[in-house]
């Protein structure tokens, strides 16, 4: 076992070693992950397993599930339905919220019933061996359902609105179709209780108790490590990493995932390898390490090719790489990956699942950046409808969908529809207490752009100023995110004839864009300053030929910088070229 000081320190080291070491993959992962130190040792007492004994044949037969109504008694029957509905009412969930939670739970139960029917038919026909791992998976799905309904019975008021998110987070029973026993695991833990506890951690996290969920997952991971149960360790660390990311600690999530990958590879758990590498793609994106994420994608593709499932894992992996490609400006490639992820997600998750809504949202963003605004608008209409039905009003994905649709509508010239979506996003943010965050800055920028297009200059300037103030509070006085609202202020002030104020805003934007981190905004800032100077010269009768020549030189430099950008904006380039051409003969 590798000592902690000898472990790999980054994905660069890890991938370089995996690419060059000639030894078998499992042995390599043993060297990589063996010494990674787990966080949260203090939570070790959160859950204690019985001592591990040599593996024995399962004592619970698949046939025990075949009396479905008896098995569901106390888990999801009429009595439990009524109790959950009453608990949600007591927690002040709306009637609509309560109905939606019940509908998703009914969907999961019906999926479970159908899978049990198929499994029992297989077992009763004499094919007991392949039916047993499926039955074990179905028992776990049933335990997850019980865990959520138990949690909803005692959910505090602040968690009531998260019941719908938690219900959708339950894996469908259809994912059990290809379940199998581990190939090489003499220490495999037949006891299903720790897996049920791990699923309970997922429920707690979905209901908003991230701290409690983390304590439970960390305790399970530590106990699994001490007992040498690598499959459980891999799954517990994957759950822990997801919760650490949700808590805003991607660095901790990366550390957990590196060890999870070691444990999954060492125990030949391809499903957990896929899950962990998919989450690691997202975490590396959070950390701004896209090059490492691209390298990881090559490994993930190889695992996906050798291990097929019902499409859920492949959809999640393609979604992660699609988001990565979007960030990199590779919009056509992103659209291809996201379209495939959407088809797989609709087939494996159901067309009403909120994850399908998120896929529609990201696919529409890729299409919009390719200029396919009409197609993007159709996808966003569906995404908004789906997410409004599947998520509570305070879920960030719903705000993102309204903001994305508003932006597309604005690009299509449908300013009234765009303003309505921006205002909806604004009201959702205010209701959820998120008015000081980046989405509110985006809503204010959007409303200001609508006002600018309508030449309502005071309203435009007010919106740009609100966006600027939010970003200054979030990021400081010299962050590149200030360039956009400063340019907006400059344009709006020019529109109402406040030329000195306009030039001051543009000069500040240009100063920020001169920093290495703001270089992407320098072309737009230079063009905006040129327009402000031209308007001032025209209004003060100082537009001499030499002044005009200097200003047009400034504008041409800005146009060249727009054209040389990593991801050129064809619309902005065309507008700049038209502006320069219209004044070059004067």
């Amino acid at each position: 076992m590798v000592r902690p000081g000898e472990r790999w320190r980054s994905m660069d080291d890890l991938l370089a070693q995996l690419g060059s070491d000639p030894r078998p993959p499992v042995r390599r992962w043993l060297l990589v992950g063996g010494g990674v130190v787990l966080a949260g040792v203090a939570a070790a007492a959160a859950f204690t397993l019985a001592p591990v004994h040599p593996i024995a044949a399962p004592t619970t037969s698949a046939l025990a599930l075949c009396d479905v109504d008896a098995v569901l008694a106390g888990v999801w029957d009429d009595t439990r339905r009524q109790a959950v509905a009453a608990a949600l009412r007591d927690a002040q969930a709306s009637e609509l919220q309560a109905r939606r939670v019940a509908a998703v739970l009914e969907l999961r139960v019906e999926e479970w019933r159908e899978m049990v029917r198929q499994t029992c038919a297989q077992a009763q026909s004499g094919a007991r061996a392949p039916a047993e791992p499926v039955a074990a998976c179905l028992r776990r799905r049933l335990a997850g359902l019980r865990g959520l309904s138990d949690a909803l019975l005692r959910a505090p008021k602040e968690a009531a609105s998260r019941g719908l998110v938690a219900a959708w987070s339950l894996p469908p029973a259809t994912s059990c179709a290809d379940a199998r026993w581990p190939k090489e695991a003499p220490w495999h833990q037949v006891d299903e209780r720790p897996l049920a506890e791990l699923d309970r951690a997922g429920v707690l996290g979905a209901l908003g108790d991230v701290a409690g969920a983390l304590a439970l997952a960390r305790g399970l991971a530590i106990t699994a490590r001490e007992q040498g149960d690598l499959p459980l360790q891999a799954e517990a660390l994957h759950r822990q990493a997801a919760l650490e990311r949700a808590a805003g600690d991607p660095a901790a999530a990366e550390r957990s995932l590196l060890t999870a990958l070691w444990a999954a590879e060492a125990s030949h758990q391809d499903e957990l390898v896929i899950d962990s590498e998919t989450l690691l793609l997202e975490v590396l994106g959070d950390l701004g390490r896209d090059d490492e994420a691209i390298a990881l994608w090559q490994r993930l593709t190889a695992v996906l090719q050798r291990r097929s499932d019902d499409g859920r894992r492949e959809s999640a992996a393609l979604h992660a790489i699609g988001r990565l490609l979007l960030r990199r400006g590779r919009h056509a490639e992103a659209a291809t990956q996201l379209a495939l992820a959407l088809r797989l997600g609709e087939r494996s998750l159901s067309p009403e699942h909120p994850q399908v809504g998120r896929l529609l949202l990201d696919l529409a963003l890729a299409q919009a950046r390719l200029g396919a605004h009409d197609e993007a608008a159709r996808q966003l209409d569906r995404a908004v409808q789906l997410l409004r039905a599947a998520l509570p009003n305070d879920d960030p994905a719903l705000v993102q969908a309204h903001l994305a649709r508003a932006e597309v509508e604005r690009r299509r010239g449908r300013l009234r529809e765009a303003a309505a979506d921006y205002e909806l996003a604004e009201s959702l943010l205010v209701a959820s207490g998120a008015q000081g965050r980046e989405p509110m800055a985006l809503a204010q920028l959007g409303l200001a752009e609508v006002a600018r297009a309508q030449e309502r200059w005071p309203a435009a300037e007010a919106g740009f100023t609100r966006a600027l103030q939010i970003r200054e509070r979030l990021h400081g006085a010299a962050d590149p995110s200030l360039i956009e609202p400063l340019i907006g202020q400059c344009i709006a002030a020019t529109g109402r004839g406040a030329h000195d104020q306009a030039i001051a805003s543009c000069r500040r934007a240009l100063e920020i864009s001169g920093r290495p981190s703001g270089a992407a905004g320098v072309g737009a800032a230079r063009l905006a300053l040129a327009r402000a100077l031209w308007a001032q010269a025209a209004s003060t009768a100082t537009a001499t030929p030499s002044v005009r020549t200097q200003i047009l030189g400034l504008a041409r430099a800005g146009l060249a910088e727009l054209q040389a950008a990593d991801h050129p904006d064809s619309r902005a380039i065309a507008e700049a070229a038209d502006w320069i051409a219209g004044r070059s003969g004067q």
Side-chain angles (χ1 to χ4, degrees), residues 167-222:
W168 278 117
S169 74
L170 293 176
T174 52
S175 64
C176 294
D178 60 348
R180 63 192 73 177
W181 296 124
K183 293 179 180 178
E184 300 177 27
W187 29 255
H188 176 64
Q189 187 76 24
V190 175
D191 186 356
E192 296 169 8
R193 291 175 299 169
L195 297 176
E197 285 295 285
L198 195 54
D199 290 341
R200 187 164 71 85
V203 167
L204 289 175
L207 287 173
D209 184 8
V210 176
L214 260 175
L216 186 54
R218 284 171 175 158
L220 285 163
I222 291 168

Side-chain angles (χ1 to χ4, degrees), residues 232-502:
L232 178 60
Q233 184 183 3
E235 188 165 357
L237 284 168
H238 173 267
R239 177 76 68 187
Q240 176 179 320
L243 291 163
E244 287 166 338
R245 183 180 184 231
D249 193 351
E254 182 192 12
R255 292 192 295 271
S256 299
L257 285 169
L258 290 177
T259 312
L261 278 167
W262 159 70
E265 285 272 8
S267 54
H268 306 283
Q269 300 293 300
D270 281 350
E271 296 92 340
L272 289 172
V273 172
I274 293 169
D275 292 344
S276 296
E277 290 189 343
T278 298
L279 182 55
L280 188 54
L281 274 176
E282 298 279 14
V283 168
L284 290 172
D286 296 340
L287 294 168
R289 290 154 54 189
D290 286 353
D291 289 340
E292 293 174 62
I294 290 288
L296 179 63
W297 170 243
Q298 305 303 318
R299 281 184 47 78
L300 178 52
T301 301
V303 184
L304 286 168
Q305 288 173 346
R306 74 170 182 254
R307 181 69 174 95
S308 61
D309 70 345
D310 64 350
R312 286 184 308 120
R313 287 186 170 87
E314 187 173 1
S315 176
L318 291 169
H319 193 183
I321 193 63
R323 287 165 54 84
L324 169 62
L325 293 168
L326 267 178
R327 289 196 303 274
R328 303 279 286 188
R330 294 161 61 176
H331 302 137
E333 294 172 80
T336 299
Q337 301 288 357
L338 291 167
L340 178 55
L342 176 62
R343 288 196 294 273
L344 291 169
E346 288 174 324
R347 186 182 70 192
S348 60
L349 295 171
S350 88
E352 296 80 27
H353 197 285
Q355 187 59 26
V356 172
R358 295 185 179 97
L359 278 163
L360 285 164
L361 172 57
D362 287 329
L363 176 57
L365 290 174
Q367 291 169 332
R369 291 172 188 175
L370 290 169
H373 294 117
D374 290 345
E375 181 61 26
R378 285 192 289 272
Q379 305 284 16
L380 286 166
D381 284 344
R382 185 180 164 203
V384 168
Q385 182 180 9
L386 191 159
L387 292 173
R388 287 190 70 86
L391 296 176
N393 285 340
D394 61 352
D395 194 284
L398 189 55
V399 171
Q400 291 168 10
H402 280 294
L403 288 174
R405 188 170 68 173
E407 182 67 14
V408 168
E409 294 291 24
R410 185 173 69 80
R411 295 281 184 175
R412 298 170 76 201
R414 293 163 56 90
L415 299 180
R416 183 182 302 174
E417 291 80 1
D421 265 323
Y422 284 127
E423 288 166 357
L424 259 173
E426 181 183 37
S427 65
L428 290 172
L429 290 165
V430 170
S432 62
Q435 53 265 52
R437 299 177 186 170
E438 175 60 20
M440 180 60 85
L442 293 173
Q444 297 306 313
L445 281 172
L447 287 169
E449 289 289 357
V450 169
R452 181 177 76 88
Q454 296 170 334
E455 298 188 356
R456 294 186 290 112
W457 302 118
E461 189 171 9
F464 287 125
T465 299
R466 286 192 293 269
L468 178 66
Q469 291 168 344
I470 292 170
R471 288 183 170 174
E472 284 178 325
R473 285 195 298 269
L474 291 173
H475 309 299
D479 190 79
S481 66
L482 308 186
I483 295 172
E484 185 179 3
L486 282 168
I487 290 174
Q489 273 189 335
C490 175
I491 294 170
T494 296
R496 64 182 183 83
H499 301 297
D500 290 342
Q501 182 181 338

